[in-house]
Amino acid sequence: MHRWLALVPFAFTLGGVLVANRVRPFVFGLPFFLAWTIAGVALSAIVMACVYRLDPDNRSDEP
């Protein structure tokens, strides 16, 4: 069930096409679409770390 979280970065990327397809406003001096893309990379890393931690196959509780 936790693997469905992997769809979040995909949806974020697709949403970028609809929402962030513009240059202005600037975010920290970057065009909005570039800032959106960087945020998507960071979000992907966080979500994949959560999926990894929630996956029971990655638990090292066993001796």
Side-chain angles (χ1 to χ4, degrees):
M1 191 63 171
H2 60 278
R3 293 186 180 149
W4 285 99
L5 282 174
L7 290 176
V8 171
F10 179 71
F12 189 83
T13 303
L14 284 181
V17 173
L18 300 173
V19 174
N21 194 12
R22 58 181 180 255
V23 174
R24 288 191 165 80
F26 288 100
V27 179
F28 299 118
L30 298 171
F32 187 68
F33 187 72
L34 184 59
W36 183 276
T37 303
I38 293 171
V41 170
L43 177 71
S44 296
I46 292 168
V47 168
M48 289 301 125
C50 290
V51 169
Y52 179 81
R53 297 285 287 166
L54 291 172
D55 192 1
D57 293 338
N58 296 323
R59 307 251 167 117
S60 61
D61 300 345
E62 303 168 9

